[in-house]
Amino acid sequence: MDFSTLSPELQTIFAPILQDKKSPLPVEGVNPVLSTARRLGDALEEGQLSLADVTALVQTLRDSAFLRRASRLHRYVGGAETATTARRLAAVTHRVIAALPEPTPEAFQAAVSPVRFAAVFTAHPTFAVSNPVYATLAESASEEVLPESVPFFETHRRDEPPTLEEEFTLATLAISRARDAMDQLNGALLETAREHWPDAWTSVIPRPVIATSWVGYDTDGRTDIGWWDTLRLRLRMKLFQLERLAQQISTTQANAPALMDRLHQAIACVEAQINATPTGPDAEAVARFADVLVNSHQTALLNAGNLADDLDAAIQAAEPADRLPLAIARAGFMAHGLALAHTHVRLNATQIHNFVRQKLDIPDDPANPSHRRAVLNRLNDALDTVQAVPVDFGALMSDPSTAGRLMMTVAQISKHIDNETPVRFLIAETETGYTLLAALWAALHFGVADKVEISPLFETEEALSNGDRIVEEALRSPTWRAYVQRTGRISFQFGYSDSGRYVGQLAATYLIERLRLKIHDLLVRWNLQDVTVIFFDTHGESIGRGAHPFRMAGRLSYLSPRHVRAEFARTGIACREETAFQGGDGYVLFGTPQLAGATLATIAENLFNPLHQEGDPVYEQPVFSADFFSSISEGMQALVEDPGYAALLGAFGPALIDRTGSRPPARQSAEAATSTRLTHPSQLRAIPNNAILQQLGWCANTLQGLGAAVRRHPETFEIFNTSSPRFHRALDFARHALSCSDDRVLQSVINLLDPGYWLDRATAEGKASRRAAFLTLMHDLEKLNLSADLRTLFRRIQADHLALREAWEDAPHGAPLNRALHAIRIALIERIWILACRIPFFMPRGGFNRDMMMQQILRLEIPAVLKEMVHIFPSGTVASNLDFHEPRGPREQGIYEREHREIFMPMQQMFALLREISVGVMHDIGAFG
């Protein structure tokens, strides 16, 4: 943004933060962010500026950040022009042909038929702006010439958090565009096959990239999704797939009456099944649903293969012009089975343990090392003797366990909806091989072992550091090895959000890469080179959650380094990559056909580029690499355990962000449920944890510990930074984090929470009323008792930051736009707090008293406080003119009108503006959380 376009008055106010970006680090009393906030607050207090003026300024800054975000999104996917995408896809197909061992259609089919990549659409809570704003962002990023302005929105915020139904709808729209882009890739491959083998190309069915979803099927950490919800949404995905195929065929001139008749019958049958799906565990409704579902197999179809012959016949009988679109439709249909996207379900390891403990009477804790061998032996014995039991809806209704219900739900999907396409069974917080064997026992118990892909989620420091032990504990089981060999696949999921916030994002990625190599060695040791390994990277769109900030190509290379891919290729182990696109921020990469096509082209380029084993100091000097990333991990872990870190996150951070998903933002635990004060970061989920850090002006989970690591090896750091592609790509995260972080912002936040700061303000204040307000805030902040811990925390962060700056002289600095947004918000927080001091005395009401009110206001829980104020200070009712048959008495109207006009309404407006600033900061960073 060009700040020279501001009025002279605003330029004077913002002068401190517009100075040279390399100005000295903050010294007490001369912090330019806090100085700007003070100037702005004084201008509001004295009437030189109105709240409307500040609102307009925030909207201007927000829109400027929005345009920058659209520009970055356009660059991220390599440009979104349709012609450019077509050229990129054509170049990919030529590389495929060039790499064939022999120029035959069979060799081409072998190259393009295995699934090499999956785009996984999840409902992580990153629906951070309204749907029209997301649409505008995608449309702006899709323009060949980026717009200089955007349509004006009074607010970019959502009216309310999305529901599960809305998340599902948004996910399916994104998936549909992704499927269209996959059709583009398949079309390019088929066109190339037609050019080279005009008489044999119709036998080729490419499926290098597929779509997958867990929206509506993820029950980890939530209890609001019933099995009936999962089945209803899974049936809708089946309906969408059938409708898609019918629509694709209808756009051609193909004469396939038998095929279309089967499709229309299946569509009508699945619609009836959806309409019959119960909305709860009502036995009669469930029985009616079972009748419609179980007794309609032939009509509803049970797998994509049911239509394979009809599709082949339609292609062969079609006119030449129609064969290609029909072959493209067949490829997408056969790749995805009877769903718009493959299915992932997810639950927690503890839920699996509880189910098996109850069924097998294994009371010992598998996480206890002293019990591990015994429980593994007992479970292996049970695996030798397990017998499958029948599964019907009566059993599903009666099972009290989450794991039992989910596994039976998968059984019903595989029996009655799609009996061919496997279902991924993801298990969060896997920290022992017992978890994998327990899941296998449950799958065998319910007769679905060959239909599920059991996958551990490695996301904790323990799991990432010792994941090879976890995998080997499972591989020692003959039953597990037989399961892997029978299905031909072994799956692993890596979590970047939780791992990054506990050990640091850079260190987490190093641990994940090292674990991939250890898994490779284990598979070779156990002679499992003939299975396909699936690596699912569950990351978000932000640097704090594992997404490379500058290019989609960089993101794919960062998550799946060439060194690892080459190692698997060397031993002949097939490797399939999967990448998450999470919530609204993830879906925007598929927000228009142009963006979806460019995203898919980038994925295809990454898949089919030749794997050259290039030298890289990161791998040639493993001792430095291990020490460097270990130092980052130690620094981040120390920060997490610092009491000041929880104090910083919990002081008023949660109030700065809107709820951005249907999933609860806090972890479900007894401690979290009974405590109003955050005592450890683990009480927050990773996404709000990271989002709060963004709003406090310091991306700690990307930066902390980096200074200590650099200080240990400054010369080697500089060499690696300039000569190692892998190391440089990792440092891109730090570059972006530094460009949208500012320790002066963080220091300003900490000052706000320091009683001493307000005492100094009171000492210097000439007006008695303001001096009294400052002293009130001082006393109320002392009750929070945060200052000492926060000061200690800031010294820890600043010392690490100084070490980084000393060794990395050209490291980026924060931009004025970001500082301006933070300064305005600090000024508004001060204004809200000062207004709170003007609230008249009131008697306690239902346990709510002035002390409680001030504590909530200091935590910026403004909506909750204003809800109480409406009852304590009612604004009056409209006077009635009816005849009440007595002499007319005085009508009291607006008895507390002044309080509402001068205190409560401004507080409400300023709080809304705080949240709008949060959206602007998020746009500037490029993603939520």
Side-chain angles (χ1 to χ4, degrees), residues 506 624 627-629 631-632 703 705-718 721 727 731 734 800-809:
L506 304 186
F624 165 78
D627 185 72
F628 184 86
F629 292 110
S631 296
I632 293 176
L703 296 173
L706 186 56
V710 171
R711 184 172 54 226
R712 288 171 65 90
H713 306 279
E715 296 85 4
T716 312
F717 167 80
E718 185 58 34
N721 189 17
F727 193 78
L731 282 185
D800 192 74
H801 181 214
L802 284 171
L804 178 62
R805 291 282 178 196
E806 287 177 6
W808 192 9
E809 293 182 357

Side-chain angles (χ1 to χ4, degrees), residues 148 213 219 238 281 293 308 347 443 473 521 636 738 893 906 914:
E148 295 182 0
S213 174
T219 57
K238 181 175 183 177
L293 188 68
L347 81 176
E473 284 178 348
D521 294 344
M636 188 64 209
L738 288 168
Q893 262 182 272
L914 293 184

